[in-house]
Amino acid sequence: MRLARFDGGRIGVCVGEEIADVTQVCGVDPAQWPPVGPLVLIRDFAALRPRIEAALATAPRKALADVRLETPVPWPNKVIAYPVNYHAHGREMQAGYRATNQGFFLKPSSSVSGPNDPVVLPHVPGREVHHEAELGIIIGKTCRSVPRENWREAVFGYACLMDMVVRGREERVFRKAYDTFCPVGPWITTADEVPDPDQLEMNLWVNGELRQHANTRDLVLDIPGMIETASAVMTLQPGDIIATGTPQGVAPIVDGDKVRISITRLGEMTVDVVQGTEGASEVFAAPYVPPIIKQD
């Protein structure tokens, strides 16, 4: 099942090129603040699924092209991100560590945006903002200390994810925490639709130019390992998002760019890049020195 949010927080099931509105049967109030209805839906999905499926026959439908899709998880408890999780990306960034011996970092929920929201570049003269294509893993239940052999029990579904970053050597979270720096979408594809998440092809284009291509089979720390590692440290909650790390090919994005990501069976989304006026900080007052020289 492909579960989406659209038109101001409504819940829909994507069926072909249409979206069926199941907001009412899911018990989600689109006006609720904070918007935690999707988290409750994820938590209770096993019980709600038969009702959702039964409602599809009569639920109001619209063409996907006629609605505004929004991020499917607007208020995650946390976004867990693994740095340098492809060997080729580690080499291009001259990083001597990998996710297997570095661990993870957290991005704030306020950085999450949707498939129709622009990435807003902060006003940080002398710095580049880079794109990073990633697989997003959506956690489905409250869990702790999940052994790798039980990793599937923790997963609700998958989505496309982009992790944007101000390039530099300052604290990683600081450089990745800006609003709109974590586009997630266009919907959640439930785990039963993705039997082999370790064999997903991922591509990212900027203005039609292919910048990144990888397969999740090449992850250094695999999906079971990421779930085991994260849950060893903290309790995972429904709607938590794990960002699996980016492959090689990271590069700058600038005002006016269009960034498109596509992952096998999960769909695709294209986001605009616009230059903002906020975000200046003394931390970024000096240009990054030395420059990052990507290696082949």
Side-chain angles (χ1 to χ4, degrees):
M1 189 176 292
R2 296 182 296 163
L3 287 170
R5 283 177 71 249
F6 69 102
D7 291 354
R10 304 196 67 79
I11 304 298
V13 175
C14 300
V15 183
E17 296 303 313
E18 295 183 319
I19 187 166
D21 191 332
V22 294
T23 308
Q24 186 173 2
V25 72
C26 291
V28 173
D29 177 4
Q32 182 184 27
W33 182 259
V36 296
L39 306 184
V40 177
L41 169 59
I42 290 170
R43 184 196 65 183
D44 298 341
F45 185 72
L48 288 170
R49 184 166 191 163
R51 293 169 53 191
I52 295 171
E53 291 175 338
L56 290 179
T58 57
R61 296 194 181 197
K62 292 183 178 180
L64 273 171
D66 294 336
V67 303
R68 186 181 190 277
L69 292 177
E70 299 158 350
T71 188
V73 188
W75 199 266
N77 180 264
K78 49 192 170 290
V79 179
I80 305 155
Y82 283 89
V84 192
N85 205 13
Y86 288 87
H87 285 299
H89 176 56
R91 289 191 294 269
E92 77 171 347
M93 301 309 291
Q94 305 172 68
Y97 59 86
R98 298 292 184 267
T100 44
N101 55 36
Q102 184 74 7
F104 56 81
F105 62 94
L106 300 180
K107 286 172 70 80
S109 60
S110 54
S111 67
V112 174
S113 56
N116 285 292
D117 300 319
V119 170
V120 181
L121 303 177
H123 180 63
V124 286
R127 297 300 181 101
E128 295 179 348
V129 175
H130 285 198
H131 59 75
E132 298 186 351
E134 310 199 13
L135 170 66
I137 304 168
I138 315 300
I139 297 299
K141 69 175 187 178
T142 299
C143 53
R144 178 78 196 275
S145 301
V146 180
R148 59 176 292 118
E149 60 268 22
N150 296 339
W151 70 273
R152 289 185 185 273
E153 298 176 7
V155 176
F156 177 72
Y158 305 92
C160 300
L161 184 149
M162 301 183 203
D163 181 19
M164 305 300 179
V165 56
V166 176
R167 196 56 75 193
R169 296 299 188 196
E170 297 82 7
E171 289 288 349
R172 178 180 272 109
V173 173
F174 185 84
R175 295 183 287 110
K176 290 174 173 273
Y178 281 101
D179 291 359
T180 75
F181 267 31
C182 191
V184 178
W187 42 67
I188 300 172
T189 301
T190 54
D192 59 300
E193 300 281 348
V194 190
D196 53 351
D198 58 344
Q199 296 291 330
L200 299 180
E201 292 285 328
M202 175 169 57
N203 293 284
L204 182 141
W205 300 261
V206 177
N207 303 326
E209 173 196 0
L210 182 63
R211 294 270 187 92
Q212 294 184 274
H213 168 74
N215 190 293
T216 51
R217 64 172 172 263
D218 298 322
L219 287 164
V220 179
L221 181 63
D222 61 8
I223 294 171
M226 282 184 271
I227 292 171
E228 182 180 56
T229 298
S231 67
V233 175
M234 57 196 174
T235 300
L236 304 182
Q237 301 288 357
D240 282 356
I241 301 171
I242 294 179
T244 59
T246 195
Q248 67 179 330
V250 299
I253 51 174
V254 298
D255 182 46
D257 282 347
K258 289 185 178 293
V259 185
R260 174 187 169 208
I261 183 174
S262 173
I263 302 180
T264 307
R265 287 194 294 281
L266 306 186
E268 65 177 59
M269 60 182 181
T270 301
V271 298
D272 294 323
V273 180
V274 300
Q275 179 61 57
T277 58
E278 299 178 299
S281 169
E282 182 64 25
V283 176
F284 295 137
Y288 173 64
V289 178
I292 291 174
I293 302 174
K294 296 201 296 180
Q295 305 296 300
D296 294 329

